[in-house]
Amino acid sequence: MPAASNLPADPFGNPISVSDTTSRRLIDDFASGFLACESTAANLVTEGHDDDAPLFQAYAAALQMFAETGDAPAAARPHIERARAGAASVTQREGRFIEAVAAWVEGNMRRAVQLHEEQARDFPRDLVSVKLGQYHCFNLGDCAGMLRLGLAALPHAADVPQVHGMVAFGFEQCHRLREAEASARRAIAMQRKEPWAHHALAHVMLTEGRLREGLAFMEDVSETWTGLNSFMVTHNWWHLALFLIDLGRADEALAVHDRHCWGVAKAYSQDQIGAVSLLARLELAGQDVGERWTELGGYLAQHTQDQVLPFLDLQYLYGLARAGRPEADALLARIEAFAPQAPEASRHAWQKVCVPAAHGLVAHARGNFKKAAEALDTALPRMIEIGGSHAQRDLFGQIHVDALVRSGEARHLAQALDVVQPQRNGQPESLRLARLADTIHAGLGLPPEAR
């Protein structure tokens, strides 16, 4: 193991056991780009340079895994094997990071999170490890884990704007909205172009019903969304579109979908589910989306064998069903077969949440609203287990309410009122919720709200 004092360092001051100057530049690109959500993070695998340095290979493996497809582990495995082969020559920090990525490749997510938490304790400026650990916690529905990781780094890396953004999102997902907003605003004060902090603050404003303020804020900072990876740029525009939908401007939100959310990287999982989610919300708000499901369905059809994350599969499934693709039935069958043998960390999410939700989503897409309502009744109380954010999972709640309203059952309308009216009370700016509440009141023989 080399002496750390004799080694070069990454952008956050962590010694790295890499001698080649090109490799060091690419490692810097990955570390800084990953934290800032910039496309430069991919330079490590796109520039055609190779290096047996274990850290270089571990980062390459991580980039392969971010494809979030069923064949990603096979693509990552040669890199992680090369990293492990040279692990005797690396620092303790690098060695643990390599093992964390290896656990990810092997599907052992609990072990991966444990290693990232140990890393945050012992090497809190290994911010690549902290952010990757947050990504895993996010996918496991472990909001507290996300926040713990960010807070472990904060006292040692408060000079890095992105750390405050990471902490902000952890606070927001734990429903600690005042601390989330303060952390996000600190990050933005340090560096206006901090898209993850923009994203965290958008979450806060949406949750609190500050729709006009949220829209104005996202429109103002959108000029900084340049050079980002496709997920970050499309996802922040997705958040902007949500404000428009709730403000009754669904036609403008559809234009945002066309200009900014669909078409950046159509083959990428996150861009695809963002499009599914936005098209579904637009339809639920009464907007005609034309033939857009048809094109999207062609891209979703490649995922029937993936079963990487239940959060992804559910959205692939709904999009396929809305597009009228036969692959929807194939994916539903795969989900049912895979659930009992899913990795231990996510098995309950697959079995107890994903399977009933999958049946409910297909039923809704095909107009069987009573079946959709009852299947989603089973899944929704545990939906956090499939991962994703509160705002993202709200799609399933909106579909559930739509199924309740359209089922034709009086008891379902009463159930819908119990869900929607509290939301409406907390979000007086939302025209979407106002119209939905009026529909439910009329169905129950009640007068509309006085407003």
Side-chain angles (χ1 to χ4, degrees), residues 23-292:
S23 298
R24 291 204 299 268
R25 174 180 62 79
L26 293 172
I27 281 173
D28 287 355
D29 283 351
F30 177 81
S32 58
F34 180 47
L35 219 65
C37 304
E38 293 183 342
S39 59
T40 52
N43 291 350
L44 188 133
V45 296
T46 60
E47 288 197 6
H49 180 76
D50 197 15
D51 191 329
D52 279 331
L55 185 64
F56 187 97
Q57 292 299 321
Y59 284 172
L63 283 166
Q64 296 292 345
M65 291 295 291
F66 279 122
E68 297 181 329
T69 57
D71 57 2
R77 198 163 289 116
H79 294 289
I80 206 62
E81 288 173 355
R82 289 172 68 185
R84 279 176 148 173
S89 64
V90 303
T91 66
Q92 179 187 356
R93 180 191 69 84
E94 292 170 316
R96 183 184 286 142
F97 183 84
I98 290 166
E99 287 308 304
V101 175
W104 182 17
V105 174
E106 293 162 0
N108 190 345
M109 302 314 302
R110 295 296 182 196
R111 175 64 175 158
V113 170
Q114 177 188 357
L115 290 166
H116 287 300
E117 289 183 335
E118 292 174 5
Q119 194 86 319
R121 181 193 66 221
D122 295 341
F123 301 99
R125 285 188 70 91
D126 188 347
L127 301 181
V128 170
S129 177
V130 171
K131 190 167 180 68
L132 185 53
Q134 284 195 323
Y135 167 81
H136 295 324
C137 288
F138 178 78
N139 288 330
L140 291 169
D142 183 3
C143 304
M146 289 177 61
L147 183 55
R148 282 197 306 271
L149 281 161
L151 291 175
L154 184 60
H156 309 274
D159 58 306
V160 181
Q162 291 81 9
V163 170
H164 298 280
M166 291 155 63
V167 169
F169 190 52
F171 272 130
E172 191 280 329
Q173 288 295 286
C174 289
H175 306 283
R176 295 170 61 168
L177 300 184
R178 297 282 61 77
E179 292 155 297
E181 180 161 356
S183 296
R185 291 196 181 278
R186 182 172 182 186
I188 297 164
M190 294 172 71
Q191 181 172 300
R192 186 164 182 264
K193 183 185 179 181
E194 214 304 87
W196 196 245
H198 302 162
H199 155 261
L201 191 50
H203 270 271
V204 171
M205 292 176 174
L206 183 67
T207 300
E208 294 188 328
R210 295 155 58 187
L211 305 179
R212 296 185 186 91
E213 181 186 0
L215 176 61
F217 166 72
M218 293 297 272
E219 287 178 331
D220 180 57
V221 296
S222 65
E223 66 176 7
T224 71
W225 300 338
T226 59
L228 305 181
N229 60 49
S230 68
F231 161 72
M232 192 75 263
V233 68
T234 59
H235 191 63
N236 271 354
W237 281 108
W238 179 89
H239 271 281
L240 189 151
L242 297 194
F243 289 120
L244 288 169
I245 292 171
D246 264 293
L247 288 167
R249 296 160 62 180
D251 55 340
E252 295 174 61
L254 183 60
V256 169
H257 167 276
D258 292 346
R259 288 199 299 268
H260 301 293
C261 295
W262 180 241
V264 177
K266 292 184 178 182
Y268 186 42
S269 58
Q270 292 294 331
D271 290 43
Q272 291 165 5
I273 66 164
V276 168
S277 177
L278 195 47
L279 290 179
R281 291 164 191 261
L282 285 162
E283 287 191 326
L284 292 168
Q287 178 68 38
D288 182 1
V289 302
E291 299 299 315
R292 289 172 178 82

Side-chain angles (χ1 to χ4, degrees), residues 376-391:
L376 288 169
D377 271 345
T378 301
L380 280 177
R382 298 180 60 171
M383 196 62 79
I384 189 175
E385 295 179 38
I386 69 166
S389 69
H390 309 312

